[in-house]
Amino acid sequence: MTPGAIIREAAADGVTLTLSPAGTIKARGNGEAVNRWLSILREYKPALVAALMQAADDSCSTVSAVPVVRLRLVLKAEDGSRSEAVLAIPKARYDGLRVLELFERHRMAGSTRIVSVRED
């Protein structure tokens, strides 16, 4: 089994795999689902850590081991300058209404405004 396949299948089972700041694997999701994956995660830990580190390094690429929803934001600063940012959210954790609430709070809070959002 390849690390990418493990990450995708775990995600399909509701388990999100990420790296902790210490470089260990964090498995989040339903407790029963996480427990089902623990032995596989232990067995393939070095390869999974390497794959997750690579995915983090390549987070702006179009290929990722974890299925994500990519949102492209156009931001406008108080001085009129514009910039773009890409927000990648794991599909298993994506909630469009929460994202809209976050954008609305950000729009109201600071001097930089979100001008547009589109899914890549």
Side-chain angles (χ1 to χ4, degrees):
M1 195 174 230
T2 66
I6 293 169
I7 293 167
R8 283 189 299 275
E9 289 180 29
D13 198 19
V15 177
T16 303
L17 303 177
T18 58
L19 283 178
S20 73
T24 61
I25 298 172
K26 286 282 201 180
R28 292 193 179 116
N30 175 284
E32 289 178 16
V34 170
N35 286 335
R36 283 193 299 270
W37 284 94
L38 285 179
S39 64
I40 293 172
L41 299 178
R42 285 186 191 109
E43 181 179 350
Y44 291 92
K45 183 178 177 179
L48 287 167
V49 168
L52 290 168
M53 289 177 84
Q54 181 65 41
D57 289 343
D58 295 342
S59 63
C60 291
S61 73
T62 58
V63 178
S64 176
V66 178
V68 296
V69 174
R70 292 186 190 282
L71 302 175
R72 182 169 302 278
L73 311 174
V74 176
L75 307 168
K76 183 177 179 184
E78 198 171 67
D79 67 3
S81 64
R82 290 179 179 244
S83 59
E84 288 191 17
V86 176
L87 178 63
I89 304 169
K91 280 187 180 182
R93 302 191 73 127
Y94 180 73
D95 180 341
L97 289 176
R98 289 184 119 182
V99 171
L100 289 174
E101 289 171 359
L102 173 68
F103 292 161
E104 185 62 22
R105 267 187 287 157
H106 179 75
R107 187 178 71 80
M108 300 299 286
S111 60
T112 299
R113 303 281 187 236
I114 297 171
V115 178
S116 70
V117 178
R118 69 178 165 88
E119 192 171 328
D120 273 356

